[in-house]
C-alpha cells in the first residue's frame, strides 16, 4: 500500500487531536488511537507476517449523544482512510426486502474510489486548467481555416489568416484570467443523459443490489452517448472544461486499483445502533430476523470476498467499529461468534453539567462559536458570560435527568430555544450586540424549565 496515505500519528497525538473536538471519553479515544496506530505498524511488518495480522475491532458502549459517532468520524479524517457510517437497523437478512449486509462494503469502495479520484484529479489540475483555457480561447477566437479565407486572397496573405495573431490570443488570455470575459457566451457540447438514468437510480435502491450492481454501467456503455450544444457563460464553461480535461488525464484503471487496495487495507466501517440487532434466537418474531443480520454480518467482519462493480474486495483487514447504547440489550446478547470478532470493548460515560460546560467552551467547533459565527453573518454580535454558559449547561443536564438522556444533543435544543428570538430578528438588528448572562438565560427559558410537562416536549 502507498505509505504516504497512511497516518504516522502516534497514539498520544491522535488522542490530542480528538481532544480538540470531543470532551472526555479518554478510554474510547485511547482504544481507537491504538487501533489506528496498529494499521501503520502492520504496514511496517515483513510481508509474510503482514497478512496474518488482523485488525482489532472495537465495540463502543454508551448512551446517545456522548461522542461515539464523533470519535469515529474524526478518526477517519486523521487516518485519511475510506470511512463509512452505517446503521445496523437498516439491514435485513438475505432473502428479505431491504439492504443486504455486503452493501456496506460496496458503499465503502465507492467512497474509496471517489477519494482516490479526487486526489488524482488534484494532481493534474494545473495541466487540466491549462488545456481547458486553450479550448476556451479556441471557442472565443476560433482559428480561420484556409478554405474559409476570403476570396481574392492568396499566398502569404491567405496564410496569415489561418490563425489569429499570437498577440491577440495572449491579450484574450489575459482578459480571461482577469475575469473580464466571464459574461461572454460560448457554445459547448455537453453530455445529455436521458430519462433512462433516473429510472435506474430508483431501481438500484430497491434491494436487489447483487443483480443490478453493474446494470447501469452496462447500459451506459451499450447505449450511444448523446450530447447537445448549449450556450453558456464563460464563467460557467471554464470549470466544466477543466473537469472534462481532468477526466481525460486521470488513469481510471490506476484509480480503481489504488482505491480497492486502500479500501481493503485501511477502510473503516462504523456500524451504529448494533444493539438494535442484538437478540438471541426465539424461534419467532423479530429476533429471528435480527439474528439473521448478525449471521450475515459475521463473515464480512471475519473476512470474506465481496463483489463490487470495481472488482472483488477482501474484508479481512477492514477495521470495524460498532457502537450502541445497549439500554435494553447487552453486548452478550450478540451471537458468540460476532462477539469474538469485536475483542476491544470500551464504555463511554454519560455527560454531566461540567462536561456540558466544557463542550460549550473548549472544542474548536464549540456550539457557542458556531452560533456566534452564524449570527455574525447578519452583523449581530452575540456574547455569553461565564454565568450564562454555566446556566445553559445546568439546564441541559437537568432536562436530561428529567426526560430522556440524549447527551450533548440536548445542548443543541437548549441553545436553539435560547437564541430563537435573536435568530428571527437578526436581519433587522444589524450592528447590535446581544449579551447573555444567567439572568437573560432564565428569562428566556425559565418558564419552560418550571413546567416539567412542557420541558419534556420543548427541551
Amino acid at each position: 500500500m502507498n505509505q504516504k496515505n497512511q497516518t504516522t500519528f502516534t497514539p498520544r497525538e491522535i488522542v490530542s487531536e480528538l481532544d480538540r473536538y470531543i470532551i472526555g471519553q479518554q478510554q474510547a479515544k485511547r482504544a481507537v488511537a491504538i487501533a489506528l496506530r496498529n494499521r501503520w505498524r502492520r504496514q511496517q511488518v515483513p510481508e509474510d507476517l503482514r497478512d496474518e495480522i488482523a485488525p482489532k475491532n472495537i465495540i463502543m458502549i454508551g448512551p446517545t449523544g456522548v461522542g461515539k459517532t464523533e470519535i469515529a468520524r474524526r478518526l477517519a479524517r486523521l487516518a485519511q482512510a475510506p470511512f463509512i457510517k452505517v446503521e445496523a437497523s437498516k439491514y435485513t437478512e438475505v432473502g428479505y426486502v431491504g439492504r443486504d449486509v455486503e452493501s456496506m462494503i460496496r458503499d465503502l469502495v465507492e467512497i474509496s474510489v471517489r477519494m482516490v479520484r479526487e486526489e488524482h484529479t488534484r494532481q493534474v489540475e494545473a495541466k487540466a486548467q491549462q488545456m481547458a483555457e486553450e479550448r476556451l480561447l479556441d471557442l472565443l477566437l476560433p482559428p480561420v481555416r484556409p478554405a474559409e479565407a476570403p476570396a481574392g486572397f492568396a499566398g502569404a496573405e491567405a496564410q496569415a489568416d489561418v490563425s489569429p495573431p499570437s498577440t491577440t490570443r495572449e491579450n484574450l488570455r489575459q482578459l480571461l484570467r482577469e475575469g473580464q470575459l466571464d459574461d461572454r457566451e460560448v457554445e459547448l457540447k455537453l453530455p445529455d443523459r436521458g430519462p433512462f438514468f433516473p429510472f435506474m437510480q430508483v431501481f438500484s435502491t430497491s434491494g436487489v443490489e447483487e443483480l443490478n450492481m453493474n446494470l447501469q454501467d452496462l447500459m451506459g456503455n451499450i447505449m450511444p452517448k448523446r450530447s447537445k450544444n448549449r450556450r453558456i457563460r464563460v464563467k460557467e464553461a471554464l470549470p466544466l472544461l477543466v473537469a472534462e480535461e481532468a477526466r481525460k488525464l486521470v488513469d481510471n484503471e490506476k484509480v480503481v486499483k489504488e482505491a480497492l487496495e486502500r479500501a481493503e487495507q485501511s477502510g473503516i466501517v462504523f456500524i451504529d445502533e448494533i444493539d438494535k440487532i442484538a437478540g438471541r434466537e426465539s424461534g419467532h418474531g423479530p429476533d429471528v430476523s435480527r439474528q439473521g443480520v448478525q449471521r450475515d454480518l459475521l463473515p464480512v467482519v471475519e473476512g470474506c470476498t465481496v463483489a463490487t462493480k470495481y472488482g472483488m474486495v477482501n474484508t479481512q483487514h477492514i477495521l470495524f467499529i460498532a457502537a450502541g447504547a445497549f439500554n435494553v440489550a447487552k453486548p452478550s446478547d450478540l451471537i458468540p461468534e460476532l462477539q469474538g470478532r469485536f475483542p476491544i470493548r470500551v464504555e463511554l460515560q454519560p455527560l454531566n453539567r461540567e462536561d456540558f460546560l466544557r463542550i460549550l467552551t473548549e472544542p474548536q467547533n464549540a456550539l457557542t462559536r458556531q452560533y456566534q459565527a452564524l449570527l455574525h453573518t447578519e452583523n449581530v454580535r452575540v456574547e455569553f458570560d461565564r454565568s450564562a454558559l454555566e446556566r445553559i449547561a445546568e439546564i441541559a443536564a437537568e432536562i436530561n435527568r428529567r426526560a430522556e438522556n440524549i447527551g450533548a444533543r440536548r445542548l443543541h435544543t437548549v441553545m436553539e430555544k435560547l437564541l430563537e428570538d435573536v435568530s428571527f430578528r437578526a436581519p433587522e438588528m444589524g450592528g447590535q450586540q446581544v449579551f447573555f448572562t444567567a439572568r437573560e438565560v432564565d428569562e428566556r427559558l425559565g418558564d419552560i424549565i418550571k413546567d416539567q410537562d412542557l420541558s419534556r416536549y420543548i427541551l
Side-chain angles (χ1 to χ4, degrees), residues 20 26 53 63 107 150 184 203 215 299 304 324 405-406 411 415:
R20 294 171 59 195
Q26 294 306 308
I53 301 174
D107 291 343
R184 189 175 293 190
F203 183 62
L215 191 53
C304 68
N405 187 347
I406 59 172
L411 284 173
M415 289 289 289

Side-chain angles (χ1 to χ4, degrees), residues 371-372 375 380-384 419 422 433-436:
Y371 278 101
Q372 285 170 332
L375 290 166
V380 176
R381 287 185 59 198
V382 177
E383 300 293 339
F384 303 87
L419 292 166
V422 177
Q433 180 175 0
V434 182
F435 192 79
F436 283 96

